[in-house]
Amino acid sequence: MIRPIMKTKQKTVFTCQSCGYQSPRWLGRCPDCNTWNSLVEEFSSAPSVSKAGPDSFRVEYSKEKPQPLNAIKTINEERFSTGISELDRVLGGGVVTGSVILTGGDPGIGKSTLLLQASDSLARDKKVLYVSGEESIKQTKLRADRLGSASKNLFIVSETNLDSIFDHINTLKPDFVIIDSIQVIYKEDLSSSPGSVSQVRLCGQELTFMAKKSGISVFLIGHVTKEGNIAGPRVLEHMVDTVLYFEGESQRSFRLLRAVKNRFGSTNEIGIFEMTGKGLKEVSNPSGIFIEERPKDVSGFAIVPTIEGTRPLLVEIQALVKAANLAVPKREARGIDYNRISLITAVLERRVGLEFGRFDVYVNVAGGVRVVEPAVDLGVAIAVASNHRDIALNPDCVVMGEIGLGGEIRAISHIESRLMESQRLGFKQAIIPKGNLSAAGKPRLELIPVSYLKEALEAVFRH
Ligand code: TYD
Ligand code: MG
């Protein structure tokens, strides 16, 4: 009897590209992370992790016995300077051996440039393997020439297959590996395409595993989606030791490198760079650079001394309030949390009596900086009110303070260093929360302590 050849159907599974959740059928919204339209069909052929990776990196699970914690000898982690002090600062004082560092950022922001520069200086003492999956060796060489790289211990390979990368690592035995980028690396056992959650997760897992086992430090470069997350792998952020984000506008020359997770140092530390014709240069006195272009005698601007990590940074808050064209007025925020704008306009409406129901409100932090701390609230409120009433602020005045729903101005941290920095940059007056007055020290600025938003607005518009 002749039997028809039955085509075996390959099993597929739908994977959420945002969190990695898997479902046997398609769903419009991921039930785990609530992202819409994020499920993508993939072949379900995930190999078990224990089988993955070349032999030399396989763990022998049975050998590790639990030990009492106090019997384990403390060893200080070994750190290496990248030769770029702003990068070292963000890493918490250099790269820790065997650590995995994920660097994310928009395309063209300078991730490859930064890591090639760091590789070059690391390669003066150590061996570095730069895996360029996105660009050819020639392209990387051109870039390296432009940056003036010359270390002979810096090795480049253009490769995207993870197992071949492991082979190169095994033969070369480098101290540092740079993967540019994790989204183009793939593992052959998996049928899903490079960049999918399954691929990124598995490749990330194996590289992390290799780093821990061998003491090789690994830098992963990751692309960022439109929403600002590192594409696909939220899973990857949990896995690695350090997550750095490169921020800034690619058309402007300043770049901020921010640590959002760091197992070996403090987060919120930032590094500031300037993109020049010869790569990224460190900015050693960054505090004033974001306020240089501020217009004077124009309404809608306020200067706020913010604290980034351990250092003060003066930023310019810009606001524009205009009559709304649509029934629902627009609120737009750049460099600051959107919800804070809604909250601050609500407080201005209820506690000060300014009307926003028929006005669009736009708020922007100049220079592509992102500010997360609440000390910026008062600056936002004052910039918005200033534009709404079309009264310009005293250009020599800085403002700071958190706003509560009652319209009260709450005390903030690091008041003294904020004031010192403002004074250093030539400001003559500061509006501060009353609760901070005793901690403010004796700066040469004129201090105006305020308890309520209304009081603060009266004080700034008196001029
Ligand atoms: P790149 O590092 O390729 O960005 P990413 O890897 O994050 O995608 O940066 C590319 C941009 O930087 C590109 O627009 C050119 C610019 N650039 C300079 O201005 N000066 C330089 O010395 C280099 C190498 C790049
Ligand atoms: Mg790149």
Side-chain angles (χ1 to χ4, degrees):
M1 192 176 78
I2 301 167
R3 285 185 184 194
I5 300 166
M6 295 277 281
K7 237 181 153 183
T8 50
K9 198 171 166 240
Q10 189 153 16
K11 252 183 129 178
T12 62
V13 55
F14 292 85
T15 312
C16 170
Q17 300 299 302
S18 172
C19 70
Y21 175 86
Q22 291 193 321
S23 156
R25 54 200 173 82
W26 187 82
L27 299 167
R29 186 183 197 180
C30 171
D32 203 19
C33 68
N34 293 333
T35 312
W36 287 100
N37 235 342
S38 61
L39 268 71
V40 168
E41 187 172 19
E42 292 176 354
F43 293 112
S44 66
S45 57
S48 69
V49 175
S50 61
K51 205 181 118 227
D55 289 347
S56 53
F57 297 121
R58 227 173 256 169
V59 195
E60 286 135 7
Y61 290 104
S62 55
K63 284 197 179 154
E64 293 253 342
K65 285 208 186 84
Q67 307 172 41
L69 187 59
N70 61 7
I72 299 169
K73 264 199 263 162
T74 314
I75 34 163
N76 281 336
E77 70 261 14
E78 210 182 342
R79 287 183 187 265
F80 289 98
S81 167
T82 57
I84 303 173
S85 62
E86 291 290 294
L87 177 59
D88 285 349
R89 164 204 282 275
V90 179
L91 290 171
V95 194
V96 174
T97 42
S99 65
V100 183
I101 299 146
L102 175 65
T103 308
D106 291 331
I109 199 89
K111 303 179 293 292
S112 308
T113 307
L114 177 72
L115 288 177
L116 194 60
Q117 280 178 271
S119 305
D120 183 49
S121 55
L122 283 167
R124 279 187 210 134
D125 305 317
K126 299 278 166 187
K127 213 187 267 181
V128 182
L129 176 63
Y130 193 103
V131 183
S132 174
E134 294 188 351
E135 293 175 35
S136 67
I137 295 181
K138 278 199 190 116
Q139 276 173 308
T140 312
K141 170 69 179 152
L142 275 177
R143 186 197 299 261
D145 286 346
R146 193 167 163 190
L147 301 173
S149 318
S151 300
K152 65 177 190 315
N153 273 330
L154 172 55
F155 293 83
I156 311 273
V157 61
S158 185
E159 181 59 75
T160 50
N161 183 327
L162 187 65
D163 290 323
S164 314
I165 294 172
F166 279 131
D167 287 342
H168 293 308
I169 294 174
N170 271 332
T171 30
L172 192 67
K173 304 216 173 347
D175 303 288
F176 298 93
V177 174
I178 287 95
I179 306 284
D180 186 0
S181 69
I182 186 73
Q183 272 93 7
V184 296
I185 306 296
Y186 71 96
K187 177 100 185 153
E188 237 166 320
D189 318 16
L190 273 184
S191 48
S192 51
S193 56
S196 66
V197 161
S198 321
Q199 281 287 5
V200 167
R201 178 167 46 193
L202 186 64
C203 295
Q205 244 166 16
E206 292 201 3
L207 285 160
T208 309
F209 194 50
M210 181 277 292
K212 301 293 160 207
K213 190 98 203 298
S214 62
I216 298 173
S217 307
V218 178
F219 284 91
L220 304 175
I221 292 180
H223 288 298
V224 163
T225 58
K226 271 194 250 96
E227 292 79 38
N229 298 319
I230 291 183
R234 212 176 292 167
V235 272
L236 203 56
E237 295 197 10
H238 297 301
M239 217 182 290
V240 300
D241 299 305
T242 305
V243 180
L244 308 179
Y245 268 95
F246 224 172
E247 294 171 2
E249 293 163 29
S250 45
Q251 280 74 27
R252 300 278 299 266
S253 60
F254 291 113
R255 303 280 186 277
L256 264 71
L257 186 67
R258 190 188 292 275
V260 291
K261 167 182 174 180
N262 196 352
R263 288 186 184 146
F264 303 111
S266 88
T267 50
N268 295 328
E269 203 57 88
I270 63 164
I272 301 177
F273 298 90
E274 186 178 2
M275 183 62 96
T276 68
K278 285 187 168 171
L280 289 155
K281 291 260 171 340
E282 301 159 51
V283 177
S284 47
N285 178 22
S287 196
I289 54 173
F290 296 111
I291 58 167
E292 272 166 5
E293 295 164 60
R294 83 200 132 107
K296 299 205 167 134
D297 301 324
V298 178
S299 69
F301 293 85
I303 306 292
V304 181
T306 61
I307 295 282
E308 289 289 350
T310 51
R311 63 179 169 191
L313 183 74
L314 268 72
V315 297
E316 175 190 320
I317 312 285
Q318 312 175 334
L320 193 74
V321 181
K322 68 171 266 291
N325 293 333
L326 302 171
V328 182
K330 234 176 141 167
R331 306 277 178 261
E332 215 166 292
R334 269 171 57 192
I336 195 161
D337 180 17
Y338 171 86
N339 294 320
R340 288 209 87 79
I341 307 298
S342 310
L343 189 142
I344 290 167
T345 47
V347 175
L348 278 169
E349 223 168 62
R350 258 321 281 286
R351 307 288 172 186
V352 185
L354 290 180
E355 234 267 84
F356 289 101
R358 279 170 290 117
F359 290 96
D360 293 339
V361 178
Y362 301 86
V363 177
N364 178 34
V365 184
V369 192
R370 252 184 66 76
V371 188
V372 282
E373 61 160 1
V376 77
D377 286 358
L378 186 58
V380 174
I382 287 179
V384 169
S386 151
N387 193 250
H388 200 21
R389 293 188 180 169
D390 202 19
I391 307 175
L393 258 62
N394 171 6
D396 292 326
C397 179
V398 289
V399 294
M400 62 207 91
E402 180 181 346
I403 298 178
L405 289 184
E408 77 278 16
I409 308 295
R410 297 170 164 268
I412 52 173
S413 63
H414 302 93
I415 188 80
E416 207 171 347
S417 57
R418 292 179 205 258
L419 291 172
M420 291 305 287
E421 196 64 14
S422 310
Q423 177 183 316
R424 199 177 67 79
L425 288 163
F427 287 89
K428 305 212 163 54
Q429 195 183 52
I431 301 201
I432 62 166
K434 201 169 225 157
N436 278 125
L437 191 58
S438 56
K442 291 212 166 19
R444 271 180 279 123
L445 295 149
E446 179 199 351
L447 297 182
I448 306 179
V450 290
S451 308
Y452 288 96
L453 184 54
K454 208 166 181 175
E455 232 178 291
L457 291 177
E458 278 161 15
V460 287
F461 296 142
R462 223 179 287 140
H463 293 271

